Amino acid sequence: MTYLWHPFAQMGAVSSGEFVVDRGEDVWIWDAEGRRYFDATASLWYANVGHGRHEIREAVSRQMEKIEAYSIFGDFATAPALELAERLVRLAPVDDARVFLSSGGGDSIDTAFKLARRYWYEIGQPERTHVISREHGYHGSHGYGTSLAGIPANRHGSGPLIEDQSVVAYDSVEALEARLQEVGPERVAAFFVEPVIGAGGVYPPPEGYIEGVASACKRHGVLLVVDSVICAFGRLGNWFGPERWEVRPDMITFAKGVTSGYLPLGGLMVDGRVAEPFWGSTDAPPFRHGATYAGHAACCAAALANLDILENERLIPRGRELEGELLAALAALDDHPLSGGARGGVGLLAAVELDAGLLTSRPGAVSEAFALMRERGVLVRALPSSIAVSPPLTATPEHFALITEALAESLDVLAARARSAPAMSAG
Ligand code: PLP
């Protein structure tokens, strides 16, 4: 019996048996019984440099010997927070950028949503309050992120959420254009977009989509907020994600890979024009928003050491160099009767859709496949109708073969189960 309430978990099932992670090294993790697993998901899409890097541990320790943390509210600052801000500004595809630091992805989304509305208010267009997001989109589980959710199950039963917001098809510039006309573009504050949709199923954008929505936003004066919580720090083969399409967003949210998860940290890159109403003069109003641990010194030290590793070991381009091989490894199973096809090819993340008939007859098929792969020493992510992978950037094609092998065997087991117990539903 556990007392730990696990996020997104069916606790009735989990409480009778948890999977306890004990240690990690590069792409491997070990459970409490000493069994080794390939971490095909980089934990929750974040261990970009792999596990157990002593450089990050030592940098955090050095910072803690000086001071573990101090608030950066008002005019307070710490050296690692200042250095990180300067470094991120140099790397981001954002004009005249400023950085607002937070504790994670959900915090960054809340910050972006509030700042978008507040910006328009400050420059005399308070009617611009409507915010648009996409089907399948995931923007965290805080209040604003839940409102933006393109995964209906994540809003279910929450009662009234943030008003004046809508969701459009994930793959159509025309759908965004149509929604802008319905609402009235002069009423729209911002459009939130993940470069590659992650937790909602790993959906790369169709050809021309990112450029198309960026241009629609520009034409209508709508702020483009790119949610790169998953896609930054090498996942798409560059620093922030949008560089692939040569667009320059008004804001970019980030978290996860900025520290590779060694300590929690997130943030928001903000275009200088959006920052201006708050920075432009000594009596400009404050943005009355921020988390206690924003700019936490030890977390910023972890981020700096992580950025050093990403840079020195040339890990950033690997997201792009390996994307084809990862997709090919999964697509090798496209002919399996229980595979609904592999998706990916844009960055080091991909998914295998399970066969629609199987999902209908066995609603728990994704969880079953996930458990079967874990028994075979490969940790994957169970999404609503697919199995997703996003290995550390230090992984190699030999590791991808482990995923293919474990998935093939697991689908075979599922096929046998489906033959012997056609309509069982697993948890
Ligand atoms: N945005 C995206 C695209 C994410 O994938 C996530 C988390 O997976 C978040 C936001 C929320 O981040 P966090 O879980 O750190 O609050």
Side-chain angles (χ1 to χ4, degrees):
M1 161 69 187
T2 186
Y3 296 97
L4 180 63
W5 193 333
H6 299 241
F8 288 88
Q10 286 180 299
M11 283 312 300
V14 167
S15 61
S16 61
E18 290 154 300
F19 177 80
V20 181
V21 175
D22 184 44
R23 67 189 177 93
E25 193 183 316
D26 193 19
V27 301
W28 305 104
I29 68 116
W30 283 260
D31 69 14
E33 273 82 53
R35 276 199 67 194
R36 191 179 82 154
Y37 302 81
F38 171 50
D39 183 7
T41 61
S43 184
L44 217 41
W45 328 78
Y46 61 68
N48 290 12
V49 300
H51 301 284
R53 303 297 302 240
H54 68 92
E55 302 93 322
I56 303 181
R57 188 174 68 233
E58 285 156 13
V60 169
S61 169
R62 277 196 303 278
Q63 179 56 42
M64 286 203 171
E65 278 161 22
K66 286 180 141 183
I67 185 158
E68 64 296 332
Y70 207 86
S71 153
I72 59 163
F73 281 26
D75 67 349
F76 286 95
T78 60
L82 291 169
E83 190 185 336
L84 180 62
E86 206 180 312
R87 201 154 160 191
L88 293 173
V89 161
R90 273 191 274 117
L91 297 170
V94 171
D95 295 325
D96 187 22
R98 312 297 149 86
V99 189
F100 199 100
L101 293 174
S102 73
S103 304
D107 275 2
S108 307
I109 290 291
D110 276 19
T111 307
F113 196 123
K114 286 173 71 178
L115 183 58
R117 284 183 172 173
R118 181 72 195 277
Y119 163 74
W120 292 115
Y121 175 87
E122 289 300 331
I123 67 160
Q125 297 185 47
E127 64 287 354
R128 277 203 191 252
T129 50
H130 195 86
V131 175
I132 304 177
S133 56
R134 296 156 79 205
E135 271 172 14
H136 300 302
Y138 180 72
H139 301 287
S141 55
H142 289 23
Y144 287 90
T146 303
S147 301
L148 289 170
I151 306 171
N154 290 351
R155 304 147 73 109
H156 178 78
S158 298
L161 290 165
I162 307 294
E163 287 175 15
D164 208 6
Q165 175 274 330
S166 57
V167 176
V168 294
Y170 79 97
D171 55 354
S172 159
V173 180
E174 293 70 38
L176 173 64
E177 288 276 9
R179 189 71 193 128
L180 286 169
Q181 294 313 323
E182 277 160 27
V183 177
E186 69 293 343
R187 283 255 302 105
V188 180
F191 177 55
F192 280 65
V193 54
E194 285 170 87
V196 175
I197 288 175
V202 186
Y203 292 98
E207 190 79 33
Y209 178 82
I210 300 286
E211 301 90 323
V213 293
S215 131
C217 286
K218 197 169 202 132
R219 220 166 335 107
H220 295 293
V222 170
L223 297 179
L224 175 67
V225 183
V226 170
D227 182 354
S228 279
V229 165
I230 286 177
C231 291
F233 303 104
R235 187 58 56 197
L236 297 196
N238 53 37
W239 283 104
F240 279 90
E243 299 94 311
R244 273 188 90 124
W245 299 275
E246 292 177 18
V247 299
R248 297 189 72 81
D250 298 296
M251 302 189 218
I252 302 178
T253 53
F254 62 89
K256 298 189 188 277
V258 69
T259 60
S260 288
Y262 279 68
L263 285 176
L265 180 74
L268 178 66
M269 306 305 303
V270 185
D271 183 292
R273 177 180 60 99
V274 176
E276 216 279 332
F278 309 93
W279 285 63
S281 65
T282 48
D283 61 354
F287 179 40
R288 295 188 61 82
H289 173 89
T292 296
Y293 298 131
H296 188 286
C299 300
C300 291
L304 289 166
N306 175 62
L307 298 188
D308 285 343
I309 295 175
L310 287 168
E311 217 162 66
N312 297 340
E313 298 183 12
R314 279 197 77 258
L315 293 177
I316 292 292
R318 285 182 71 75
R320 193 160 194 167
E321 288 161 8
L322 293 171
E323 64 191 18
E325 297 193 67
L326 181 65
L327 180 61
L330 299 186
L333 298 177
D334 279 1
D335 289 339
H336 193 288
L338 294 192
S339 167
R343 279 194 296 274
V346 181
L348 199 59
L349 68 170
V352 173
E353 184 76 10
L354 294 195
D355 172 68
L358 175 75
L359 291 168
T360 309
S361 63
R362 294 175 82 82
V366 173
S367 309
E368 285 185 85
F370 162 84
L372 288 162
M373 290 186 76
R374 191 157 82 186
E375 280 168 23
R376 284 156 181 77
V378 178
L379 301 182
V380 295
R381 192 141 167 66
L383 298 181
S385 58
S386 59
I387 289 290
V389 293
S390 53
L393 300 171
T394 51
T396 63
E398 290 77 61
H399 297 123
F400 306 160
L402 300 175
I403 305 174
T404 314
E405 206 177 304
L407 183 56
E409 283 179 26
S410 302
L411 292 181
D412 288 345
V413 174
L414 266 180
R417 284 184 189 169
R419 278 193 299 275
S420 61
M424 190 195 90
S425 104

